[in-house]
Amino acid sequence: MPKIILTGDRPTGRLHVGHYVGSLRRRVELQNSGEFDKIYIMIADAQALTDNFDNQEKVRQNIIEVALDYLSVGLDPEKITIFIQSQVPELTEMTFFYANLVTVSRLQRNPTVKNEIQMRNFEASIPVGFFTYPISQASDITAFKATHVPVGEDQEPMIEQAREIVRKFNATYNTDCLIEPAIVLPENDACRRLPGTDGKAKMSKSLGNCIYLADTPEDVKTKVMSMYTDPNHIKVSDPGQIEGNTVFTYLDAFVKPDSFSKYLPEYENLDALKDHYRRGGLGDVKVKRFLLAVLEDELAPIRARRKEWEKNIPGVYQILKEGSEVARAVAAQTMHEMKDAMKINYFDDYELIQAQAKKFGGEE
Ligand code: TRP
């Protein structure tokens, strides 16, 4: 069976370092591993509209931002397909048929949807489109027969629901045309849930606690140097705490084997640095400077690539257009197989037409 990746993001803002360690970095590694037959990366504008239906300008503006973020982290349109969800109408068609296989109570039990309904104060009146977006996400995945879906932990219920829909469809229509996807999660806890620079659990634009991939070196420096650490670590000589210390969480997510030999050769590795911090005698500023160097190692090439792509915005739209055409052809093929299985292929079915003709006593 071919190994196929599909994943994507809602275009509701620029991507930040949480997206990077949570998923983008992994996508680039998977792309370059050569282990996958096909990789599709989708800008989920239709899904973004399910809770921004009256904010279409925001979605429209952020499509190019997300595309630039993709290209600048090293996703390569020569190797993979980047496309825009709304430009593949077959996804909507699939969603309509999958909706028959899902109950309202099953959707209500989806923990991510539950959470989001609360966050958006939708309790009293939930838009149907938003409520059913897990079904549409199953279409995104299955249209491409994805076997692997690299996403953050919050997307686990979506993948589980997609798997259920696949099983139900294949069993109901006696086919094996749909493939059950597996989730690919980030490598460690820090990557799974990178906190905001203020130590708050979630990075969010409204809290102003994000480091964006497109931030300038000055922005990154200011954000790192004012990061939340251990509030009880006041004097350098004080013993410090690692747990909940944002700077160390970021180091967990970003440190590479050669980071120490390059920037802090007096420590063997992150454990040695943490031990010193715990004992006392290691100041926050030194750790922050180290983090800044480690981060810049990663962010500088991303920024440079972004600058290049920014000079060719029409070219970026062209990449999205061509990618959407490729994606559409693939989704149409899957839709065709689904319609065969569902027996809604009337005009292709010569036997059906003959049999009906006979039934009504007409000429054969
Ligand atoms: N729900 C994802 C997010 O909020 C975006 C998304 C839409 C997606 N369809 C998908 C992710 C299919 C993986 C697979 O970021």
Side-chain angles (χ1 to χ4, degrees):
M1 187 166 66
K3 289 173 78 176
I4 298 173
I5 288 178
L6 177 120
T7 186
D9 302 273
R10 295 181 194 179
T12 52
R14 293 180 154 190
L15 301 180
H16 51 60
V17 291
H19 296 114
Y20 184 69
V21 295
S23 175
L24 293 171
R25 182 169 66 184
R26 175 57 85 65
R27 293 180 201 172
V28 178
E29 281 165 16
L30 296 173
Q31 164 192 278
N32 296 336
S33 75
E35 276 177 39
F36 287 85
D37 298 283
K38 288 268 157 40
I39 300 184
Y40 301 93
I41 311 281
M42 180 184 75
I43 302 181
D45 63 333
Q47 189 178 104
L49 286 168
T50 65
D51 62 334
N52 289 283
F53 54 88
D54 53 355
N55 214 345
Q56 69 279 37
E57 199 51 37
K58 170 167 129 186
V59 173
R60 184 179 165 86
Q61 295 300 327
N62 279 303
I63 285 178
I64 191 76
E65 292 286 353
V66 171
L68 284 168
D69 284 330
Y70 285 169
L71 294 166
S72 51
V73 297
L75 290 173
D76 179 354
E78 303 274 316
K79 297 183 184 153
I80 66 167
T81 303
I82 304 176
F83 71 98
I84 303 181
Q85 186 182 27
S86 64
Q87 305 307 300
V88 183
E90 285 76 9
L91 298 175
T92 321
E93 199 177 354
M94 278 178 202
T95 302
F96 188 73
F97 294 115
Y98 288 162
N100 297 332
L101 310 177
V102 180
T103 63
V104 170
S105 66
R106 176 64 184 88
L107 284 169
Q108 277 165 335
R109 270 186 285 120
N110 184 311
T112 303
V113 175
K114 249 190 193 167
N115 231 330
E116 287 176 308
I117 286 172
Q118 264 182 5
M119 261 165 41
R120 289 165 176 71
N121 290 323
F122 275 164
E123 276 108 329
S125 58
I126 310 170
V128 172
F130 179 79
F131 185 60
T132 56
Y133 93 76
I135 306 178
S136 127
Q137 189 154 337
S139 305
D140 304 337
I141 296 168
T142 54
F144 301 93
K145 301 189 193 251
T147 50
H148 296 75
V149 185
V151 278
E153 199 175 38
D154 64 319
Q155 296 295 305
E156 215 159 358
M158 302 298 157
I159 313 304
E160 192 44 48
Q161 199 153 12
R163 293 167 61 86
E164 280 174 37
I165 290 173
V166 168
R167 290 196 290 268
K168 187 97 190 253
F169 186 94
N170 284 349
T172 305
Y173 301 113
N174 193 22
T175 173
D176 55 8
C177 74
L178 299 185
I179 307 293
E180 270 190 61
I183 190 167
V184 180
L185 286 169
E187 43 273 64
N188 67 31
D189 276 351
C191 297
R192 255 187 264 272
R193 256 167 292 172
L194 198 72
T197 51
D198 56 357
K200 296 246 165 58
K202 211 169 160 64
M203 255 187 250
S204 93
K205 189 155 66 193
S206 50
L207 293 173
N209 61 359
C210 310
I211 297 177
Y212 293 98
L213 295 175
D215 276 351
T216 63
E218 297 73 41
D219 287 339
V220 178
K221 183 170 182 197
T222 310
K223 290 177 185 179
V224 169
M225 295 318 279
S226 60
M227 245 184 195
Y228 179 83
T229 59
D230 170 5
N232 298 317
H233 184 246
I234 296 161
K235 286 185 291 193
V236 171
S237 55
D238 289 340
Q241 198 174 317
I242 304 294
E243 291 69 37
N245 187 322
T246 318
V247 178
F248 281 97
T249 311
Y250 273 60
L251 285 174
D252 279 330
F254 280 98
V255 150
K256 288 209 184 124
D258 66 348
S259 302
F260 282 91
S261 59
K262 270 166 94 174
Y263 300 115
L264 268 190
E266 61 269 41
Y267 297 90
E268 199 185 331
N269 54 31
L270 192 51
D271 285 336
L273 189 74
K274 287 179 179 173
D275 281 345
H276 191 184
Y277 193 82
R278 281 198 194 92
R279 281 200 308 275
L282 174 57
D284 281 351
V285 171
K286 184 165 176 178
V287 189
K288 285 178 171 174
R289 289 223 172 94
F290 176 55
L291 172 61
L292 185 61
V294 170
L295 265 180
E296 276 302 320
D297 251 5
E298 201 99 351
L299 295 179
I302 295 176
R303 219 179 270 128
R305 251 178 281 167
R306 195 179 222 276
K307 274 229 159 62
E308 285 307 305
W309 283 109
E310 281 175 354
K311 291 181 197 152
N312 184 15
I313 295 298
V316 177
Y317 277 106
Q318 186 61 26
I319 287 168
L320 298 177
K321 185 175 176 214
E322 285 168 19
S324 300
E325 282 159 11
V326 170
R328 187 165 185 196
V330 176
Q333 170 59 29
T334 306
M335 191 65 238
H336 187 81
E337 293 168 28
M338 285 169 60
K339 282 184 170 170
D340 270 350
M342 287 187 289
K343 299 203 177 294
I344 51 176
N345 54 351
Y346 317 113
F347 309 130
D348 296 338
D349 191 345
Y350 182 71
E351 276 172 32
L352 168 76
I353 297 169
Q354 291 302 301
Q356 295 295 352
K358 204 174 225 164
K359 191 167 107 193
F360 289 98
E363 295 287 316
E364 274 203 30

